[in-house]
Amino acid sequence: MKRSVALAAALLVGLTSAGSLPGAAFADGGPAGGHDDGGGRGHHRGSEGAVFVQTNKAEGNTIKVYERDDDGQLSKAGEYETGGLGGFTIGAPVDALASQGSLIYHRGLLFAVNAGSNTVTVFDVDGTRLHKRQVIWSGGLLPVSVTVRDHLVYVLNAGGEGSVQGFELDKGRLSPIHGANRSLGLHNGNPPAFMTAPAQVKIDPEGEFVLVSTKAANVMFSYEIGRHGELSRQPVISDAGSTPFGFTFDSEDSVLVTESGSNEVSRFEIDDDGALDQFGPSVPNGQQAPCWIQRVGDYFYVANAGSSTISAYKVDDDGKLQLVHAVAADTGGGSIDMTTSDGFLYVQNAAAGNVQGYEVNDDGSLRLVTTVEGLPKFTDGIGMEGIAAS
């Protein structure tokens, strides 16, 4: 097991449980449909859907909506205000929020962070139309990532000490859970520096733990989830390689983590107590700054922001992680966040100010099928970040 005992002890000093105070909420929407935000299957069903892009504009955050046809093509379908402000981390090279999962689609609902106003917006999704249902305090400073499973929602706040806040989801509305606000003890400013800001929060497939990646601390936190969504007072802290950033799951008890500091991807098994055991060696891809990871069918695609490329990985029958294509696509525009819809992979290119859509071939290679322009380019430390799909 890769464990950082000294660092874990240092981080645990000062870890506190903070109170949960509800923020203002505003409703305006109707009933939602049903669809999950899991990875694609790699097979096209011939159905249409939507891709949602968060502009993260400092003067007013918005969500741009694109209709997806059964060939993966995108066309403009509208833009909606979140009721909050975009935000940034200090010194971000191309990704303002320095995170994965800032915009999440889940069973007819869309969850967006408003990093500049410390709130989260919940939308009802009706095809390509959004109806604002609620704007609520995130439980901390500079929210950058959201995770949803059934009736539980957890938000990662990157500012200050950093924190995780849990919410109960009932009829499309969030309410804070008592005992589900936990400090990460990171002692950052607000806004935090890019490298010291935590990167992602996600619930494991079994619904037992909330995991958080920390970048500069080189560890991941695992909080056990209680019966009513409350979180354990102290996390289990595991070494997760060099600058762990984005992560996703390949099975019920295994997680793939990008190591943006060493340009590798690693696979870990989750122990019964939430600790991470590394399975096999980390696998480099020869690219620069692999940060985001998205599963599509049998393949795991990694966005390399420094190289503006996408790499493809696969886990074989023995559980061994393999690099399939070091460069499955050259995006040419500062590749950051990704999403999948009906077997297509959609990549957010912050420097270029566009989104590209790729068809996933049987061998894991990618074929460009659509590009939409006119999105906010990363400039002066801020730009778009967050992409999701129905």
Side-chain angles (χ1 to χ4, degrees), residues 12-349:
L12 283 170
V13 174
L15 281 173
T16 61
S17 60
S20 302
L21 298 176
F26 305 92
D28 123 47
H35 193 282
D36 208 339
D37 60 341
R41 302 299 182 189
H43 301 287
H44 308 314
R45 297 186 298 271
S47 60
E48 298 179 350
V51 172
F52 313 98
V53 180
Q54 181 165 248
T55 64
N56 188 44
K57 292 184 289 189
E59 68 276 15
N61 190 17
T62 64
I63 307 299
K64 289 198 173 189
V65 183
Y66 298 88
E67 184 176 12
R68 176 189 60 77
D69 66 19
D70 56 9
D71 293 322
Q73 297 281 335
L74 299 181
S75 56
K76 295 180 181 178
E79 184 172 7
Y80 298 82
E81 296 180 351
T82 66
L85 306 177
F88 60 90
T89 57
I90 296 173
V94 72
D95 49 318
L97 299 181
S99 68
Q100 177 167 302
S102 59
L103 187 67
I104 295 293
Y105 175 81
H106 178 81
R107 298 181 180 176
L109 296 172
L110 188 68
F111 300 83
V113 302
N114 302 303
S117 51
N118 306 323
T119 58
V120 175
T121 301
V122 185
F123 290 98
D124 279 322
V125 179
D126 179 12
T128 57
R129 295 185 178 184
L130 302 183
H131 305 281
K132 193 190 307 175
R133 177 175 281 272
Q134 184 183 31
V135 181
I136 188 169
W137 181 49
S138 68
L141 302 174
L142 202 85
V144 296
S145 182
V146 183
T147 184
V148 188
R149 178 182 170 87
D150 298 329
H151 66 287
L152 295 177
V153 176
Y154 296 91
V155 176
L156 174 62
N157 297 290
E161 291 189 346
S163 65
V164 176
Q165 172 67 59
F167 298 87
E168 182 179 10
L169 177 63
D170 183 33
K171 298 179 180 178
R173 296 181 64 84
L174 299 176
S175 56
I177 298 171
H178 179 70
N181 187 299
R182 297 291 180 252
S183 169
L184 302 178
L186 298 178
H187 306 296
N188 290 324
N190 187 51
F194 171 84
M195 277 299 296
T196 60
Q200 185 182 1
V201 63
K202 201 168 180 66
I203 304 169
D204 80 294
E206 290 287 284
E208 296 178 349
F209 301 100
V210 169
L211 277 64
V212 176
S213 54
T214 64
K215 289 207 288 289
N218 295 327
V219 299
M220 290 185 66
F221 292 72
S222 298
Y223 291 93
E224 187 173 6
I225 301 173
R227 182 177 179 182
H228 302 291
E230 69 275 16
L231 297 177
S232 56
R233 289 189 174 275
Q234 304 292 355
V236 172
I237 301 179
S238 304
D239 181 4
S242 177
T243 320
F245 195 111
F247 60 94
T248 192
F249 301 95
D250 73 302
S251 67
E252 291 182 351
D253 61 356
S254 298
V255 58
L256 271 63
V257 182
T258 62
E259 296 186 45
S260 56
S262 57
N263 304 318
E264 298 172 309
V265 177
S266 299
R267 182 171 183 261
F268 298 87
E269 292 185 345
I270 306 174
D271 291 346
D272 291 341
D273 65 351
L276 303 184
D277 283 326
Q278 184 161 355
F279 187 95
S282 301
V283 181
N285 62 8
Q287 305 300 295
Q288 296 297 315
C291 296
W292 299 265
I293 185 166
Q294 174 66 58
R295 183 175 187 172
V296 187
D298 294 331
Y299 296 97
F300 297 86
Y301 293 94
V302 173
N304 308 295
S307 306
S308 295
T309 58
I310 307 297
S311 299
Y313 287 83
K314 190 174 184 179
V315 177
D316 67 18
D317 294 338
D318 296 324
K320 183 180 179 181
L321 182 63
Q322 297 178 334
L323 178 65
V324 180
H325 300 286
V327 179
D330 188 340
T331 66
S335 311
I336 56 169
D337 223 340
M338 299 178 291
T339 190
T340 183
S341 181
D342 201 25
F344 295 99
L345 178 71
Y346 293 93
V347 181
Q348 193 174 31
N349 298 306

